[in-house]
Structure formats: structure tokens, C-alpha cells
Amino acid sequence: MSTTPSPLSPDQIRARFSSAMSAMYRDEVPAYGTLLSLVAEVNGDVLARDAGLAADLAATDQLQRISEERHGAIRLGTAAELATMRRLFAVMGMYPVGYYDLSEAGVPVHSTAFRPVGEAALRHNPFRVFTSLLRLDLIADPALRAEAAEILARRSIFTPACLSLIEKAEAEGGLSEEDADRFVAEATKTFRWHPDALVSADLYHRLHDAHRLVADVVSFKGPHINHLTPRTLDIDAVQEGMPAVGITPKAVIEGPPRRKCPILLRQTSFKALQEAVTFPGETAVSGSHTARFGEIEARGIALTPKGRALYDKLLDEVRARIVPAADGSNAAEYNAVLAEVFTAFPDSWDAIRAQGLGYFEWSTTGKPAAPGDAEALLAAGALRCDPIVYEDFLPVSAAGIFQSNLGDSGVQEFAASPNQRMFEADLGAAVLDEFAHYAGIEAASLKASLQALGRA
């Protein structure tokens, strides 16, 4: 009697896809492989010298994911592309979390992050893709806007086989191992680099003059992955080590300063590649395009709305005093101001927790529990409280990474124009609220821990 093979879990498919994407990007951008080696070396050094950190990561089942962790970024052109991309990522257990308006920082896109959301899924493989949708409505020239929309409407970024496998996964509740491997192979094709442009050299330059990201989205056959980001345990060491391996980093690390208790997200990158492009016409024209780069990130604790409001207030204060120059000429001064201003943000886990600035996951330690509330049990060592990793992104940091790779002339002004309702209509779903999600993890962990100790 024949049996139907069991479907692979979304977590397993996501792990295979993440691995395939990493291999593809290493082939396309050799410096990415150099960066992975540097990050692995730095992470190994950190764990060797900081036994406490290594023990905490092991105790919270976070150690294994560090070396596997990646996030990618893509830019889409149409609502139909966004809606289909949502379905593609759903096959891999990745869902839209958060809404980001990058127009406030001079980038004509709005975005979400597709990622796993359950703790077990994140620990299995925390692959994320920061996904932006082009805001043609922010382009001033109506004729150019119409021309760009017409080009985007004609392209198809998914292979027929990929679309068929998405439909099969939706209809059957998953994919067999054979189908999952085919799905990964077909889905990966969507994110490849295509050196043959869809538009003439003249139109490319007009799109480029509107904004470099407009040219990047409209001019090519698909949403080439523009970076894959490994996670490091010491981003300052990576920043300092890049020149020694032949990589030039951007001038400043985006996000908060270095701290004993890391918060949110810190990111740096190396300059985008200049890649050969062929533009069609009666006679093909050779040119180049600059979009894809290397990025590194370090992740800290997820902040509550109160903590995030303090972070945003302090960052605004820094930016009111100094804005980092794209050429790095004021990097030292910027870092000094950043460190000075952020002394107002508590830098101990106890203070962050006591002031309600960050989210924590509770667990039992196995020690005997005397009567008492959560705080008493924590003080007695019957409970432990670990910072919940921030799994999401920061719009100002994302825009800073984009702009550092565009150069001075790439920084343009747009009126801040958040439109989450329009984005969710194009997406075909609501995005998950990150604050509610982290609060739910904290509350559930505390409830389960107290129940395990026989407390109400």
C-alpha cells in the first residue's frame, strides 16, 4: 500500500532556502564570503573570552542560531508582487511583522519584515527578509511615474513553477521533500542578479535622477537580493577588522552606541558593488549599476513602547546636534555625541526591567521556591529573567544603510508619508504589531514559570 510522504515543516523549508540564498549570494558577491569568515572569527573570540555570555546563550537555547542567522533585503515594484511574495514566504513560515515608513528618511519606499514569529521557529532558523514596496506616488514627475508603472506591470518576477508550488502548498497544507527542494530552487531564482536591464540607458538615467532606488526597482527583471546580513556578537570588532580583510566599512555604525546591555539593533555595511549592466536598444549599451552591498548586525533587547520612546527621543537629540556625513568626515564627533546622549538610557538589565523599558523572558531554574511573587522568586534564584532578542528593524538605521551606499548625491528629500493602510491593502494582510508580540512572549513565559512553581 502506497503512502503519501509527510510534508516538510515550514521551518525545514526556511532553513533550506536560507542556505540556498547564502550560497547564491556568496557566488554573486565574493566579499560576502570574506565577511562571513570575519564574523565567525569575531563571534568565536567573543564566546571564548566571555564565558557568562556563552552560558546565557546556551541556557536560553540561542547559541546555535547565531551562526545560522541571516537577514536579506529586497525592493518590490507593485502591489501584486508584494501580495505574491507574502504567499511565497508563508510557505516557509515567515509572516509580515511591523510597518516601516522610510519616506521620513528620504527613501521612497515603505516596508515590512517577513520572518518567523514563534520562539521555536526562531531558534530553528531566524531568517528574515526586509521587504520594501516602491512608492511611485512620491515621484514628482507624472510622466515618469506612468512610464515606470507600465514597465513594472509587464514584468513577472516569479517562475511559473514557483507559482504552481505556492498554490500546491496552500492547497495541501505543505510540500513534500521533493517538492520543497524544487520550491527552494525556483524561489531562489526570483532573487538572482540579472545584468540585462529592462529599460534603455536613457530611461535608466531618468529613473536614477528621480531616486537611485527607483532605478534599482524598475530597471531590472526581479528584486535581486541587495544584501544578506550575518549577526555578530561584537559589531565594533567587525567594523575595525574589515579593512584588514580588504573591505571598506561605512563610516559609522547605525543605531545605539556600544553598551554593556545592548538594545535594539546596530548595523554597519560595506560599500555597494558597481556591477556591469547591458541596456537594450537598437544597439545594446554597456553601463553599470550600484545597489548590492554587505551588511552586518548586532542585536540587543526588544524595547517596550516606553523604552522605544526614550530611544527615539535620544536619537532625535543626537540628530539635532549632528548628522553623520556620508563621507565619514565627522564620524568621531558623531560617535562621541551618540555616546554622551545615550548615557540617559539605563545600562543594566535590572534598571531596564525595573523601569519597564525592555521585554524579558522568564524561566525556572530548578532551585527550590519559597513563597513570594515573581520579584521575590527572581531574587531567590528560583526564576531567571533574560532579555528578549529584538528580531525587527529600525527605519532610520535602514535608511542610513541605504544612503551610505548611495553617496551624497543619493540623499533626497521626501515629505514623510506613512500609509500603513495602503501598504496592508497591497500586501493582502495586516502586519503583526511587534510590541504586542513581544509583550505576549513575556506574559506567557511569566505565567508558565509561575505555574511550574505552583504559583497562580
Side-chain angles (χ1 to χ4, degrees):
M1 184 177 71
S2 63
T3 59
T4 303
S6 299
L8 257 64
S9 71
D11 291 346
Q12 291 172 306
I13 300 174
R14 183 175 66 259
R16 294 186 186 195
F17 180 75
S18 175
S19 177
M21 290 286 284
S22 191
M24 181 191 77
Y25 201 65
R26 189 192 292 258
D27 287 342
E28 293 183 348
V29 183
Y32 168 69
T34 305
L35 188 65
L36 291 185
S37 297
L38 175 60
V39 168
E41 181 182 335
V42 168
N43 288 353
D45 289 345
V46 171
L47 293 171
R49 71 172 184 258
D50 192 338
L53 175 63
D56 284 343
L57 290 171
T60 55
D61 201 20
Q62 298 279 341
L63 191 58
Q64 183 61 38
R65 65 174 270 186
I66 301 293
S67 61
E68 298 298 319
E69 193 151 348
R70 302 284 184 276
H71 96 248
I74 57 171
R75 304 152 186 167
L76 303 174
T78 68
E81 290 176 357
L82 180 65
T84 305
M85 194 64 74
R86 173 182 57 79
R87 296 170 58 212
L88 181 149
F89 285 133
V91 175
M92 298 181 272
M94 298 165 66
Y95 305 99
V97 180
Y99 171 78
Y100 304 90
D101 170 38
L102 271 62
S103 67
E104 67 185 35
V107 182
V109 301
H110 51 184
S111 316
T112 192
F114 288 97
R115 68 170 180 84
V117 295
E119 288 300 290
L122 283 163
R123 286 173 175 135
H124 189 279
N125 185 284
F127 187 61
R128 318 167 183 83
V129 180
F130 189 79
T131 302
S132 299
L133 179 64
L134 181 62
R135 295 284 302 273
L136 284 178
D137 58 301
L138 298 182
I139 304 306
D141 183 342
L144 186 64
R145 210 163 52 227
E147 207 168 355
E150 183 182 356
I151 292 160
L152 289 169
R154 290 199 304 263
R155 77 175 186 178
S156 177
I157 66 174
F158 306 97
T159 68
C162 181
L163 294 172
S164 176
L165 287 162
I166 292 171
E167 292 173 359
K168 185 173 186 179
E170 291 171 339
E172 300 180 5
L175 295 172
S176 67
E177 182 158 6
E178 181 181 350
D179 282 339
D181 285 340
R182 287 179 55 231
F183 169 80
V184 167
E186 293 296 326
T188 303
K189 293 176 183 177
T190 293
F191 305 94
R192 289 194 180 280
W193 167 250
H194 296 282
D196 297 318
L198 293 175
V199 303
S200 67
D202 174 69
L203 179 53
Y204 172 85
H205 289 299
R206 285 192 284 129
L207 293 166
H208 193 278
D209 288 344
H211 195 285
R212 289 193 181 196
L213 290 193
V214 178
D216 184 59
V217 174
V218 177
S219 302
F220 297 94
K221 295 178 181 179
H224 38 261
I225 194 94
N226 58 64
H227 60 268
L228 271 181
T229 304
R231 179 178 168 192
T232 182
L233 298 172
D234 188 343
I235 198 167
D236 299 277
V238 174
Q239 177 90 343
E240 293 166 7
M242 279 196 275
V245 295
I247 297 173
T248 303
K250 73 186 293 292
V252 301
I253 296 170
E254 298 287 341
R258 186 183 188 109
R259 296 163 44 86
K260 290 184 295 183
C261 299
I263 59 174
L264 294 175
L265 176 68
R266 301 179 74 207
Q267 296 172 292
T268 189
S269 69
F270 61 76
K271 281 287 188 181
L273 304 175
Q274 191 173 66
E275 298 179 279
V277 174
T278 301
F279 297 101
E282 289 186 16
T283 302
V285 176
S286 296
S288 65
H289 178 67
T290 305
R292 302 193 303 157
F293 54 92
E295 185 180 84
I296 315 95
E297 66 187 19
R299 292 186 172 272
I301 188 173
L303 299 184
T304 63
K306 181 181 177 182
R308 184 60 180 272
L310 177 57
Y311 171 83
D312 290 343
K313 173 179 173 291
L314 296 177
L315 189 61
D316 286 346
E317 185 178 329
V318 172
R319 299 278 170 147
R321 289 173 55 180
I322 184 171
V323 175
D327 64 2
S329 56
N330 66 352
E333 185 183 358
Y334 174 81
N335 286 329
V337 172
L338 184 71
E340 175 197 332
V341 170
F342 267 83
T343 57
F345 200 109
D347 199 12
S348 77
W349 295 129
D350 285 344
I352 290 172
R353 186 172 53 80
Q355 295 181 37
L357 300 175
Y359 292 110
F360 291 83
E361 185 170 19
W362 296 78
S363 59
T364 57
T365 64
K367 291 185 178 180
D373 61 11
E375 289 297 324
L377 293 166
L378 181 65
L383 290 180
R384 64 178 289 156
C385 205
D386 294 283
I388 295 175
V389 175
Y390 185 63
E391 307 286 354
D392 298 291
F393 297 92
L394 300 170
V396 173
S397 293
I401 293 285
F402 283 178
Q403 289 169 349
S404 71
N405 285 284
L406 299 177
D408 289 317
S409 62
V411 179
Q412 294 165 246
E413 293 298 322
F414 294 93
S417 181
N419 196 331
Q420 183 170 342
R421 183 175 296 180
M422 180 176 76
F423 184 86
E424 291 180 330
D426 291 343
L427 179 68
V431 299
L432 185 68
D433 178 88
E434 62 183 71
F435 293 111
H437 180 58
Y438 292 122
I441 294 171
E442 180 177 83
S445 70
L446 178 58
K447 181 179 179 181
S449 298
L450 291 175
Q451 287 178 338
L453 294 175
R455 305 293 189 271

